[in-house]
Amino acid sequence: MRVSRLLLTSGLLMLVLAGCAVTPEYKRPAVDVPAAFKEASLSPEAARRWKAAQPAEAMSRGQWWLVFGDEALNRLEEQAMSANQNLKAAAARLAQARAMQRDVESARYPTVDAGFGPTRQRASNASQGLDEDAHNPPSTLWRAQTTVSYEADLFGRVSAAVDAATADAQQSAALFQSVRLALQADVAQAHFLIRRLDAEAALFRDTVALRRQTLDLVQRRFDAGAISELDLARARTEYASAQSQSLAVERRRAAAEHALAILLGRPPASFAAAPAPLDRVTLSIPAGLPSSLLERRPDIAAAERAMAAANARVGVAKAAFFPRLTLTGAFGYESSQIGDLLQWSSRSFILGPLVGTVLSLPIFDGGQRDARLAQAKARYEEDVARYRQAVLTAFREVEDGLSGLRILGEQAGVQDEAVASAERAAQLSRVQYRAGDAGYLDVIDADRAVLQQKRAAVALNGERAQAAVALIRALGGGWENASAQPAPA
């Protein structure tokens, strides 16, 4: 009866102490979140179309690249998701974190081991009160027993460690989503870069052909004695210059194609992107509310989970100042003869540690626990600052994307006018040159202006496509129950 009361009292005491957790209560730090994006206020109708944010990290990102209506891009994204090595490495890191979480969670349960074997020993004569030369042969003791060990969760030390490991695993999951989203965006931007270079290559092919025709015209006029050799030399220079610039574009395209192959997890020698000049990309991407970034962005989610893990580790460091209770026991059989080992009379048990004590209380450690607690608190403050910086960076990236798309749209309209004017000027200069009313320098300047303005227009198309990808990435990826509608060109 006395033993039962002792066990009951000990159990109740353990429950009370387990409830005295010393881990600080975790609260997400406040951040300054604006009511609306500065750029989004210029398009309130688009903002209203955005779906209100939902808690978020478990939600599928969706195939956001489908809004571009590009079948080649769709195939590239599928290949990258299945073969990219960085994504596989991120998945492996996530698996490691989840395995570590299960490892730490195992401390909630007792450990049970079984063993069998002999012990050969000889105690000293002095320890047994025998004469120095008394007969004292060694003895053999056979044991077959099961040992049990369990650490009571006093002051929440074990729970805090589990909370920290759980937050670490959740952080790794968010980082995996971040790597996945970054890969999707990188593939899209590499694809649009190649298509932009294809458009430049097509432009230079037309320019080379036009300058070849001009060179033939100048050659005929020179042969007829109507012009000097100076005009002929200038025509040849412009023709060679266009060929050189065309080869430079080809070189840049080859490098971009090789980079895309690596993103797809393929060697560059086995990948070739079919030429497809880029058309103008016009998307209206609603930005929604700034608060949605705190739920949608995987990098912000990772930073928040890092804070939670650091807060839990403050609890682990605090619990080190309090006693630890470890319950142990061994149950089994022991005998000096192996034949008698499993006899009922050979049974034995031990309650309590074989070495040390059940309850241990730290007294002096030279300031080690104080240093570890200070380190844990400083790590938490660091993660708080990182979280707030991640939020600020996210706001900046969205504002950059929104302003970039708006200004690029306006710039494209102005650039179209510049291209039309340059083409008209070039047409007039060629007519006047044929009639002898203008010099060849006027033709050269007009042709150069056309090429320059068309290259600028192609570059703007590429920048708009890549800016759209960057904005979608800044917003945390795809969205549900909302679509990006084509905007008027």
Side-chain angles (χ1 to χ4, degrees), residues 396-412:
R396 177 187 61 81
E397 291 175 352
V398 174
E399 295 285 7
D400 288 348
L402 292 171
S403 62
L405 279 182
R406 176 178 60 83
I407 296 173
L408 284 170
E410 297 173 358
Q411 189 177 358

Side-chain angles (χ1 to χ4, degrees), residues 376-425:
K377 289 181 176 179
R379 176 62 183 272
Y380 174 74
E381 293 300 327
E382 177 188 359
D383 288 332
V384 169
R386 288 181 181 275
Y387 169 73
R388 288 173 171 159
Q389 184 61 39
V391 173
L392 290 175
T393 300
F395 291 156
R396 177 187 61 81
E397 291 175 352
V398 174
E399 295 285 7
D400 288 348
L402 292 171
S403 62
L405 279 182
R406 176 178 60 83
I407 296 173
L408 284 170
E410 297 173 358
Q411 189 177 358
V414 176
Q415 188 61 40
D416 289 342
E417 297 178 2
V419 170
S421 298
E423 289 179 332
R424 179 57 178 166

Side-chain angles (χ1 to χ4, degrees), residues 123-198:
S124 67
N125 287 6
S127 66
Q128 300 184 58
L130 300 176
D131 294 336
E132 180 178 348
D133 56 351
H135 180 65
N136 184 17
S139 62
T140 300
L141 184 64
W142 292 86
R143 286 192 178 92
Q145 64 183 18
T146 299
T147 58
V148 180
S149 178
Y150 174 71
E151 179 183 351
D153 189 14
L154 297 186
F155 304 99
R157 192 195 72 84
V158 176
S159 297
V162 172
D163 290 343
T166 301
D168 285 339
Q170 293 168 344
Q171 180 192 16
S172 294
L175 290 174
F176 171 77
Q177 291 290 349
S178 185
V179 171
R180 187 170 179 266
L181 177 58
L183 172 62
Q184 293 169 350
D186 289 344
V187 169
Q189 292 192 332
H191 171 70
F192 286 130
L193 174 59
I194 292 175
R195 293 192 59 191
R196 167 188 165 181
L197 294 173
D198 286 338

Side-chain angles (χ1 to χ4, degrees), residues 16 19 25 34 67 80 129 174 187 197 247 251 264 269 276-277 287 289 323 382 426 480:
V16 171
E25 181 182 359
V67 299
V187 169
L197 294 173
L247 292 173
R251 174 180 56 81
L264 303 180
L289 299 176
E382 177 188 359
E480 305 294 336

Side-chain angles (χ1 to χ4, degrees), residues 59-409:
M59 186 181 69
S60 173
R61 296 289 159 190
Q63 297 177 318
W64 54 263
W65 53 88
L66 296 178
V67 299
F68 293 101
D70 190 326
E71 290 299 328
L73 175 60
N74 299 343
R75 292 192 295 269
L76 293 175
E77 294 287 359
E78 291 177 1
Q79 293 177 36
M81 292 302 100
S82 62
N84 181 266
Q85 298 304 312
N86 287 334
L87 187 61
K88 292 183 178 181
R93 289 193 295 271
L94 175 57
Q96 294 174 44
R98 287 175 173 170
M100 180 61 70
Q101 177 188 4
R102 295 194 299 272
D103 181 18
V104 176
E105 284 182 341
S106 66
R108 292 183 181 273
Y109 307 98
T111 59
V112 181
D113 299 304
F116 168 80
T119 300
R120 184 73 171 172
Q121 64 181 16
R122 177 185 182 278
S124 67
N125 287 6
S127 66
Q128 300 184 58
L130 300 176
D131 294 336
E132 180 178 348
D133 56 351
H135 180 65
N136 184 17
S139 62
T140 300
L141 184 64
W142 292 86
R143 286 192 178 92
Q145 64 183 18
T146 299
T147 58
V148 180
S149 178
Y150 174 71
E151 179 183 351
D153 189 14
L154 297 186
F155 304 99
R157 192 195 72 84
V158 176
S159 297
V162 172
D163 290 343
T166 301
D168 285 339
Q170 293 168 344
Q171 180 192 16
S172 294
L175 290 174
F176 171 77
Q177 291 290 349
S178 185
V179 171
R180 187 170 179 266
L181 177 58
L183 172 62
Q184 293 169 350
D186 289 344
V187 169
Q189 292 192 332
H191 171 70
F192 286 130
L193 174 59
I194 292 175
R195 293 192 59 191
R196 167 188 165 181
L197 294 173
D198 286 338
E200 287 195 35
L203 173 60
F204 274 109
R205 283 195 297 269
D206 294 341
T207 301
V208 168
L210 177 61
R211 290 187 178 173
R212 177 72 256 183
Q213 295 173 5
T214 303
L215 177 59
D216 293 340
L217 172 63
V218 173
Q219 182 71 53
R220 288 194 298 270
R221 297 193 66 186
F222 172 75
D223 294 341
I227 58 174
S228 67
E229 188 179 356
L230 179 60
D231 286 350
L232 179 61
R234 287 170 174 166
R236 287 174 176 170
T237 299
E238 293 302 312
Y239 176 63
S241 175
Q243 287 181 310
S244 176
Q245 293 179 74
S246 179
L247 292 173
V249 171
E250 182 179 344
R251 174 180 56 81
R252 291 171 57 200
R253 187 193 189 279
E257 188 178 75
H258 299 162
L260 179 56
I262 299 303
L263 291 175
L264 303 180
R266 300 173 60 180
S270 67
F271 174 73
L278 178 64
D279 297 325
R280 179 161 297 177
V281 173
T282 55
L283 293 176
S284 175
I285 302 176
L289 299 176
S291 59
S292 67
L293 286 185
L294 307 186
E295 302 167 345
R296 296 181 57 82
R297 290 261 305 215
D299 57 336
I300 293 179
E304 188 274 330
R305 289 291 84 197
M307 283 192 303
N311 182 78
R313 289 192 172 92
V314 172
V316 174
K318 284 185 175 181
F321 288 84
F322 298 92
R324 295 181 63 171
L325 177 63
T326 304
L327 306 176
T328 58
F331 308 88
Y333 300 87
E334 60 181 17
S335 172
S336 60
Q337 301 294 328
I338 189 172
D340 299 332
L341 180 61
L342 299 181
Q343 298 294 326
W344 182 249
S345 59
S346 300
R347 68 189 185 279
S348 66
F349 71 90
I350 299 176
L351 293 178
L354 299 177
V355 178
T357 59
V358 173
L359 189 66
S360 60
L361 174 65
I363 297 177
F364 177 76
D365 59 6
Q368 182 185 67
R369 285 166 295 151
D370 290 311
R372 289 180 176 176
L373 178 58
Q375 180 186 21
K377 289 181 176 179
R379 176 62 183 272
Y380 174 74
E381 293 300 327
E382 177 188 359
D383 288 332
V384 169
R386 288 181 181 275
Y387 169 73
R388 288 173 171 159
Q389 184 61 39
V391 173
L392 290 175
T393 300
F395 291 156
R396 177 187 61 81
E397 291 175 352
V398 174
E399 295 285 7
D400 288 348
L402 292 171
S403 62
L405 279 182
R406 176 178 60 83
I407 296 173
L408 284 170

